[in-house]
C-alpha cells in the first residue's frame, strides 16, 4: 500500500473523524456473528491509514486509488436477520460508505506481509497515546443482530428464573472463544465437545418443572430433526425418480392419454416389455406414441420412422446432458460460495470477480490455489465423508447445491449416460440434514453436533436409494461417518426407517416396491454353486481394482491435462454423443441402468409371458449363446463408458453402472451353468437338482455378481451384504453374497489399496484423514512432522494492532489457513514458554474490531481470576468487566494439546484420529516450545509418507 505524504493543502479525514451516523454503527464483539467478509478485509487492509482527498480526487471518487487510501470503516454493513447461510452469497442491505466499493479483492496482493523493520507509509493516530475510550466498551461487544457465532452467549439458553452458574460459564471460556470456521478448515472436536458438555450440564442441573420441560425438549429435538430429514429425503427422492422416469421416456415418445405420464404409467400392463427398435409398431400399448410415429409423415416406411426416432433420442439426450452440465458448472462452482464465515485474508482462493469481470492475480509467492470444485458434480459421497471427518466446506450442503443436485441428477440420468442416481441421494439427504439443522441452535452453533444429524441423513439417503434402511445405517457407519456413537446409530436407524416408510407410501414406481430392481427368489442355492460364486467374487475384485485405476488415470492424465480441463461442457456433450450412438448396438445397451439391473436380477417364472427382454431362455440349445453374446456386449460397453463418464461435471453416481456390469457378468455365468445343467443333466454335479429343469436361477448369479463388483469398486462389505439381503427379502442367500463380497474386496485390495471414493478424494485434494489406514513410520520422529516456521506471538514484546495484522498477513502468505499463532513468553535463557494458542480466524475477527487504533498495544493476560469475580452469568456481563478491549486473551486457548518432541508418531496420529485435534503444539523435554503440527500439515506429511513407501 502506498499513501500520499505530500504536504500541500488537502482535505484530510482521520480514521477517527467520521460522521456521526457512521460512528453510531460500531462493530460487534467477540461473540457476534461474522461480519461481511469484504468489510472485514478492508478494515485490516487500511489499519492506521488516512484518506487524502484532492480536488482531482473529488471528481474521480470512483477510481481504484480511492479504495486503496480509504480510511478504516466504522460502519458495519447490516446483514439480513436470518440464520447464517451456508452456500449463499452474503446479502448486504445497506451500502458501505467512506470508500469506493470494489467487490473483487485478490487473496493477498493488497495485504502483503511487512517485515518488523518496515512500516507502511501512513499517518495514523498517535502511536504512543493511551487508550481513552475511543470505542464503546459496552456496546462493542454486543450486537443487535441474531447470534450466529459458534460460541453463543449462555444467557439465551439459560432457563428463565433459574440461578446462574458462574463457575461453569467461566471455566468453559478457559478453552478460548471460537468465532467460526472458514471453508476447508478442520473442526475443533474437543472445543465443541466441551461446549456441548457444558450446555448439557447447565440444562440437566435444573430440577424444577420448567427445567424438566426444557430438558425433555432438548432431548426430543434431535428426534424431531431426524424425522423431518427422513420425510423430506423420501419426498425429494420420489420427485427425482418420477422426473427421471418421465424425462428418460420422453426421448422415445410420449403418452397420448397424458403427456406428463412416463411409459410405465401410460402402459402399466406392458411396462416390463421393451421395444428395442425405436419407432417400431410392435408395442401392444397404443397409448404410447413413439416420436417416429408422431413425427414421420403419413405413409413413411418403417425405416424412416426408426431414423426419426433415433435422431430425436440423440438430440434429446444431448439437450438433457447440456442443461444438467450448465446448471452444475454455473451455479455450484466453489469460487461462487463466499459466505460471511469465510476468512477475508486467510483463504488462498478468496477471489471474486469485479464489476467488469476481471480477477486479480495472486502474488508469485502465495500458496497454490485450491482446485475449483463443482459442488453438484459427481456422487458427493467423497465430499460428505470429508465433511463428516471434521472439515468444513461452506456451500457444499447448502440450498443452492441441493436444488442443482436434485434437478441436475434427474436430467443427467435421463440423458442415458452411464451413471446412476442412488449414490447422490446420500449427498442430497446430507444437504437436507444440514439445512434442517440450521433451525436448531444446538446444532447450528456446534459443528461436532451437526455431524450427528448428517450421519443420520446419510443413512436415510441409502435407505431411499436401495429400499434398505438397515443397510443404510450400516453404510453410514462403515463408509461415510467418522464419529458414530450409539446415540447417532439409534437416530440414524429411526431416520432411515422414516425415509423408507414415507417412500413406500409415495410408491414412486407404482409397484409397491421402494426400488425397481427389488426381487424375491423362491429357490435355495446348491453347494456346487459356491464355485461360480467364488469366480464372480474374483471378477468383482479384478473389475473394481482396474476400474478404479483406469478412472483415476483418465481423470488425472486426460481430463486434467488436455483441452477437456477447460471445456467441461464439451466433454459432457462428447461423452453423451458417444453413449447415445453406442446405445443402439442392442436392446440391453439401450436400457436405462436401473431397468437393465431389474431385468438381469429377475427370476424367470415358468409359463409367464414376461421374458424380461429376452433374458429368460426357453430353449437353452438355441438361445443361450446368443443371449450371452448380447449381454457380453452390453457389459463391455457399459464398463468402458463408465470409466470415462464418472467424474464429468454433472451429478452422477457409481452404484447403478457398477451393479449393471456385475449383473451382466453374473447373468452370463448363470446362463452358462444353466446350459451345463441342460447339456449334462445326469452329471453328479447336478444331482441335487433331482431332475428339476428350473433349479438354476440366473438372476441369483446376477445379484451375487452385482454385489461382488460393487464391493470391488467401493470396498464396502457388511453394509453391502445387508443391502442385498433387504433387496431380496430373505437371508437364504447370505452365504453366497458374503463369499463373493469378501473375495472381491480381498482381490481388489491386493491390486489397488484405495477404493474409488479414496481416489476421488485424492484427485480433488480434499483434506480427509483416513482413520482406517495403517502407516509405517520407520525412523521418522515428531521433529520430521512439525512445522517450526509458524508465526508466533511473543507476549514479552510490544504487540500492536498493526504488528499483529502483519503477522496475520505473513500467516496467510505461508498458507497456514487451518492453524493459528502460538502465544509464547521468552525466558531469560532465550527459550520460549507456551502460554496459549490463538486461531487465525479469531485473530482476524479481533483485529477487525479494534482496527481504528493501529498502534495501540495489545495484551494477552493469563490467569483465571477474572472468571471468578462475576456477579452475573450473562456473558455480556463478563464482557463488561473486561478492563480493556485490547486484551485478546478471551480468544486464547490457554490449554492447547501438547506433545513431547520425543513422542512416537503413532501418538500424534491418535491425537488427530481419536481426539479430533485441530492442532498439536510440540514441546521439548523441559516444556519449551518447539513447533506446531496442524491437521492439514499432518495430512501433507502422511501423503508424503505414502508416496515414499510406494
Amino acid at each position: 500500500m502506498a499513501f500520499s505524504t505530500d504536504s500541500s493543502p488537502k482535505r484530510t479525514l482521520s480514521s477517527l473523524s467520521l460522521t456521526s451516523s457512521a460512528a453510531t454503527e460500531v462493530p460487534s464483539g467477540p461473540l457476534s456473528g461474522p461480519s461481511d467478509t469484504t468489510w472485514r478485509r478492508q478494515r485490516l487492509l487500511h489499519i492506521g491509514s488516512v484518506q487524502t482527498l484532492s480536488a482531482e480526487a473529488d471528481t474521480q471518487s470512483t477510481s481504484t486509488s480511492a479504495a486503496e487510501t480509504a480510511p478504516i470503516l466504522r460502519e458495519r454493513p447490516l446483514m439480513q436477520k436470518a440464520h447464517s447461510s451456508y452456500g449463499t452469497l452474503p446479502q448486504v442491505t445497506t451500502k458501505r460508505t467512506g470508500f469506493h466499493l470494489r467487490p473483487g479483492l485478490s487473496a493477498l496482493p493488497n495485504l502483503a506481509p511487512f517485515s518488523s523493520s518496515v512500516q507502511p507509509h501512513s499517518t495514523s493516530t498517535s502511536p504512543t497515546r493511551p487508550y481513552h475510550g475511543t470505542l464503546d466498551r459496552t456496546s462493542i461487544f454486543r450486537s443487535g443482530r441474531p447470534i450466529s457465532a459458534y460460541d453463543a452467549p449462555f444467557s439465551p439458553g439459560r432457563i428463565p428464573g433459574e440461578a446462574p452458574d458462574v463457575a461453569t460459564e467461566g471455566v468453559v471460556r478457559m478453552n478460548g472463544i471460537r468465532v467460526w470456521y472458514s471453508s476447508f478448515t478442520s473442526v475443533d472436536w474437543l472445543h465443541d465437545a466441551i461446549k456441548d458438555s457444558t450446555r448439557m450440564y447447565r440444562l440437566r442441573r435444573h430440577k424444577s418443572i420448567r427445567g424438566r420441560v426444557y430438558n425433555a425438549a432438548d432431548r426430543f429435538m434431535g428426534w424431531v430433526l431426524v424425522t423431518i430429514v427422513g420425510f423430506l429425503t423420501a419426498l425429494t427422492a420420489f420427485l427425482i425418480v418420477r422426473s427421471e422416469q418421465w424425462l428418460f421416456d420422453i426421448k422415445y415418445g410420449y403418452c397420448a392419454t397424458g403427456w406428463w405420464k412416463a411409459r410405465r404409467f401410460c402402459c402399466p400392463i406392458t411396462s416390463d416389455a421393451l421395444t428395442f427398435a425405436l419407432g417400431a409398431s410392435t408395442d401392444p400399448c397404443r397409448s404410447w406414441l413413439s416420436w417416429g410415429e408422431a413425427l414421420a409423415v403419413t405413409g413413411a416406411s418403417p425405416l424412416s420412422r426408426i431414423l426419426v426416432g433415433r435422431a430425436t433420442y440423440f438430440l434429446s439426450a444431448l439437450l438433457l446432458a447440456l442443461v444438467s452440465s450448465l446448471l452444475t458448472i454455473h451455479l455450484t462452482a466453489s469460487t461462487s460460495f463466499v459466505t460471511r464465515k469465510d476468512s477475508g485474508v486467510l483463504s488462498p482462493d478468496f477471489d471474486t470477480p469485479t464489476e467488469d469481470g476481471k480477477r486479480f492475480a495472486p502474488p508469485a509467492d502465495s500458496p497454490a490455489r485450491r482446485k475449483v470444485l463443482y459442488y453438484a458434480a459427481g456422487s458427493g459421497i467423497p465430499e460428505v465423508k470429508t465433511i463428516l471427518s471434521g472439515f468444513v466446506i461452506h456451500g457444499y450442503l447448502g440450498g443452492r447445491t441441493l436444488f442443482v443436485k436434485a434437478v441436475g441428477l434427474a436430467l443427467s440420468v435421463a440423458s442415458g449416460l452411464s451413471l446412476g442416481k442412488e449414490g447422490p441421494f446420500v449427498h442430497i439427504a446430507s444437504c437436507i440434514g444440514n439445512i434442517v439443522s440450521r433451525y436448531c441452535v444446538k446444532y447450528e452453533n456446534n459443528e461436532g453436533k451437526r455431524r450427528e444429524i448428517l450421519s443420520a441423513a446419510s443413512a436415510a439417503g441409502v435407505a431411499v436409494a436401495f429400499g434398505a434402511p438397515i443397510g443404510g445405517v450400516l453404510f453410514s457407519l462403515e463408509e461415510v461417518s467418522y464419529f458414530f456413537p450409539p446415540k447417532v446409530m439409534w437416530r440414524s436407524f429411526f431416520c432411515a426407517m422414516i425415509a423408507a416408510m414415507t417412500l413406500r407410501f409415495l410408491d414412486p414406481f407404482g409397484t409397491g416396491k421402494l426400488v425397481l430392481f427389488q426381487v424375491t427368489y423362491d429357490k435355495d442355492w446348491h453347494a456346487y454353486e459356491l464355485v461360480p460364486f467364488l469366480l464372480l467374487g474374483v471378477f468383482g475384485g479384478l473389475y473394481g481394482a482396474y476400474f478404479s485405476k483406469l478412472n483415476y488415470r483418465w481423470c488425472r492424465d486426460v481430463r486434467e491435462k488436455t483441452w477437456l480441463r477447460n471445456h467441461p461442457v464439451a466433454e459432457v456433450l462428447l461423452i453423451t454423443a458417444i453413449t447415445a450412438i453406442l446405445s443402439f448396438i442392442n436392446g440391453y445397451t439401450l436400457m436405462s441402468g436401473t431397468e437393465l439391473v431389474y431385468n438381469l436380477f429377475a427370476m424367470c417364472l415358468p409359463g409367464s409371458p414376461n421374458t424380461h427382454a429376452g433374458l429368460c431362455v426357453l430353449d437353452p440349445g438355441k438361445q443361450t449363446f446368443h443371449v450371452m453374446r448380447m449381454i457380453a456386449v452390453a457389459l463391455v460397453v457399459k464398463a468402458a463408458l463408465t470409466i470415462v463418464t464418472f467424474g464429468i461435471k454433472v451429478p452422477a453416481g457409481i452404484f447403478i453402472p457398477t451393479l449393471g456390469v456385475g449383473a451382466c457378468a453374473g447373468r452370463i455365468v448363470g446362463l452358462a451353468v444353466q446350459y451345463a445343467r441342460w447339456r449334462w443333466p445326469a452329471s453328479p454335479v447336478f444331482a441335487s437338482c433331482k431332475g428339476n429343469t428350473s433349479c438354476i436361477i440366473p438372476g441369483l448369479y446376477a445379484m451375487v455378481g452385482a454385489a461382488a463388483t460393487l464391493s470391488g469398486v467401493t470396498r464396502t462389505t457388511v453394509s453391502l451384504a445387508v443391502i442385498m439381503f433387504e433387496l431380496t427379502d430373505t437371508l437364504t442367500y447370505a452365504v453366497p453374497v458374503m463369499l463373493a463380497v469378501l473375495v472381491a474386496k480381498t482381490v481388489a485390495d491386493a491390486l489397488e489399496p484405495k477404493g474409488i471414493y479414496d481416489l476421488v478424494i485424492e484427485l480433488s485434494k480434499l483434506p480427509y484423514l483416513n482413520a482406517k489406514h495403517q502407516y509405517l513410520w520407520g525412523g521418522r520422529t515428531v521433529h520430521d512432522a512439525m512445522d517450526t516456521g509458524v508465526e508466533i506471538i511473543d507476549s514479552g514484546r510490544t504487540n500492536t494492532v498493526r504488528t499483529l495484522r502483519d503477522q496475520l498477513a505473513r500467516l496467510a502468505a505461508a498458507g497456514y489457513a487451518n492453524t493459528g499463532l502460538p502465544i509464547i513468553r521468552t525466558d531469560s535463557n532465550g527459550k520460549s514458554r507456551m502460554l496459549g494458542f490463538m486461531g487465525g480466524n479469531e485473530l482476524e475477527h479481533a483485529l477487525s474490531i479494534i482496527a481504528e487504533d493501529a498502534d495501540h498495544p495489545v495484551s494477552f493476560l493469563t490467569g483465571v481470576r477474572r472468571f471468578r469475580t462475576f456477579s452475573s452469568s450473562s456473558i455480556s456481563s463478563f464482557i463488561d468487566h473486561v478492563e480493556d478491549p485490547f486484551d485478546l486473551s478471551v480468544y486464547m486457548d490457554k490449554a492447547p494439546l501438547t506433545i513431547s518432541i520425543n513422542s512416537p508418531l503413532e501418538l500424534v496420529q491418535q491425537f488427530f484420529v481419536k481426539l479430533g485435534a485441530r492442532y498439536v503444539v510440540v514441546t521439548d523435554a523441559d516444556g519449551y516450545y518447539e513447533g506446531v503440527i496442524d491437521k492439514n500439515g499432518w495430512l501433507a506429511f502422511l501423503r508424503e509418507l505414502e508416496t515414499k513407501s510406494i
Side-chain angles (χ1 to χ4, degrees), residues 731-759:
L731 292 177
T732 304
Y733 311 104
V735 172
V737 171
M738 293 170 64
L739 175 65
V741 165
L742 289 175
V743 171
K745 178 173 171 55
T746 302
V747 173
D749 285 341
L751 298 174
E752 171 54 57
K754 294 183 179 180
I756 188 64
Y757 295 142
D758 294 328
L759 292 176

Side-chain angles (χ1 to χ4, degrees), residues 477-543:
L477 169 63
E478 179 182 4
E479 187 64 28
V480 181
S481 297
Y482 194 82
F483 178 65
F484 209 77
K487 177 177 62 177
V488 177
M489 180 178 292
W490 304 331
R491 288 179 178 171
S492 300
F493 185 77
F494 184 75
C495 185
M497 181 195 70
I498 293 295
M501 184 172 59
T502 304
L503 191 64
R504 180 65 179 267
F505 285 126
L506 294 174
D507 195 10
F509 298 100
T511 60
K513 298 179 180 179
L514 296 181
V515 291
L516 182 62
F517 48 86
Q518 186 173 348
V519 293
T520 302
Y521 304 120
D522 58 0
K523 292 182 175 61
D524 203 347
W525 57 278
H526 306 283
Y528 68 86
E529 292 180 303
L530 289 177
V531 175
F533 292 153
L534 181 65
L535 295 177
L536 288 175
V538 174
F539 169 82
L542 292 172
Y543 175 82

